[in-house]
């Protein structure tokens, strides 16, 4: 019933975006290997997420420290300049896209943080594949959804919460369509202005 509950993740992201550049600068000053340090931090954050997931699942889900590993995964790809040869891009990118979708297709929910491991690993593989001309990630529809993703994110949860009050039940397809319509309007009339 909390129609702005999803904004917690924005606060976690902003904390990360404020702390991450300072962390990188500190690693440079200390002359530490950034990829190795980020790997150690990622493993540590994931370990905290697993431990807290058992004893304090709400805190593990909502706080930065146990969620940082997900954000560090993308930072690690960039910092290590990981990439693959052209020949391997298609299978790696396709496997990544499949892993991103996997948690939504499972008939059961694994415990936290295992539930999001496939999606995080998939995002890493898609980033490593770097396929601008991919049919999966390079088509106009997927790129449009990517450009609108922030607006879609802002609209989806309030619609899920408020929809039953207006229409009596949660109906995924109309909520998806409404999210896309409202997100496109927000993108055009707010974000692009």
């Amino acid at each position: 019933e909390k129609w702005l509950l999803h904004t917690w993740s924005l606060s976690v992201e902003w904390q990360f975006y404020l702390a991450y550049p300072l962390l990188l600068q500190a690693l440079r000053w200390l002359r530490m290997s950034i990829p190795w340090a980020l790997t150690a931090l990622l493993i540590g954050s994931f370990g905290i997420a697993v431990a807290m997931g058992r004893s304090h699942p709400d805190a593990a889900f909502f706080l930065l420290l146990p969620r940082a590993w997900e954000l560090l995964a993308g930072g690690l790809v960039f910092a290590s300049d990981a990439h693959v040869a052209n020949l391997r891009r298609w299978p790696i990118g396709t496997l990544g896209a499949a892993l991103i979708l996997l948690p939504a297709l499972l008939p059961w929910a694994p415990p936290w943080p295992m539930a999001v491991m496939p999606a995080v690993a998939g995002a890493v593989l898609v980033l490593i594949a770097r396929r601008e001309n991919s049919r999966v990630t390079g088509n106009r529809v997927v790129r449009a959804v990517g450009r609108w993703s922030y607006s879609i994110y802002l609209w989806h949860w309030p619609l899920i919460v408020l929809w039953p009050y207006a229409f009596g039940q949660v109906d995924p397809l109309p909520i998806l369509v409404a999210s896309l319509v409202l997100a496109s309007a927000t993108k055009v009339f707010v974000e692009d202005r």
Side-chain angles (χ1 to χ4, degrees):
E1 294 187 2
K2 297 175 182 172
W3 65 282
L4 289 177
L5 180 65
H6 66 313
T7 58
W8 71 269
S9 70
L10 301 177
S11 71
V12 167
E13 289 172 26
W14 273 104
Q15 290 173 61
F16 182 82
Y17 296 146
L18 291 172
Y20 188 65
L22 299 174
L23 169 68
L24 293 178
Q25 190 59 50
L27 293 173
R28 283 189 188 106
W29 284 336
L30 296 170
R31 300 189 189 283
M32 295 180 72
S33 165
I34 290 175
W36 284 108
L38 293 181
T39 300
L41 291 170
L42 185 150
I43 292 168
S45 173
F46 182 76
I48 291 168
V50 170
M52 286 181 72
R54 293 183 186 131
S55 59
H56 299 92
D58 287 347
F61 188 83
F62 287 109
L63 296 178
L64 173 62
L65 198 54
R67 296 300 296 256
W69 68 274
E70 298 168 70
L71 298 162
L72 285 167
L76 185 58
V77 170
F78 182 76
S80 63
D81 194 29
H83 64 280
V84 293
N86 285 338
L87 262 152
R88 297 190 185 106
R89 286 183 176 189
W90 183 85
I92 288 176
T94 303
L95 175 61
L99 285 172
I100 290 169
L101 295 174
L102 179 64
L105 302 174
L106 291 176
W108 51 277
W112 182 261
M114 306 325 175
V116 297
M117 279 185 68
V120 173
V124 165
L125 292 176
V126 167
L127 290 171
I128 289 172
R130 293 186 184 175
R131 295 196 63 226
E132 292 82 18
N133 60 347
S134 165
R135 290 183 186 163
V136 176
T137 58
N139 66 67
R140 295 172 81 181
V141 173
V142 171
R143 287 182 181 242
V145 170
R147 283 191 303 275
W148 299 346
S149 63
Y150 183 72
S151 293
I152 293 168
Y153 181 78
L154 290 179
W155 282 109
H156 88 286
W157 187 252
L159 288 171
I160 289 170
V161 171
L162 299 174
W163 199 269
Y165 293 108
F167 302 103
Q169 64 182 11
V170 174
D171 199 356
L173 188 58
I175 291 173
L176 176 63
V177 170
S179 294
L180 292 173
V181 168
L182 291 168
S184 63
T186 303
K187 176 80 170 95
V188 170
F189 296 113
V190 178
E191 287 186 48
D192 291 346
R193 294 220 175 249

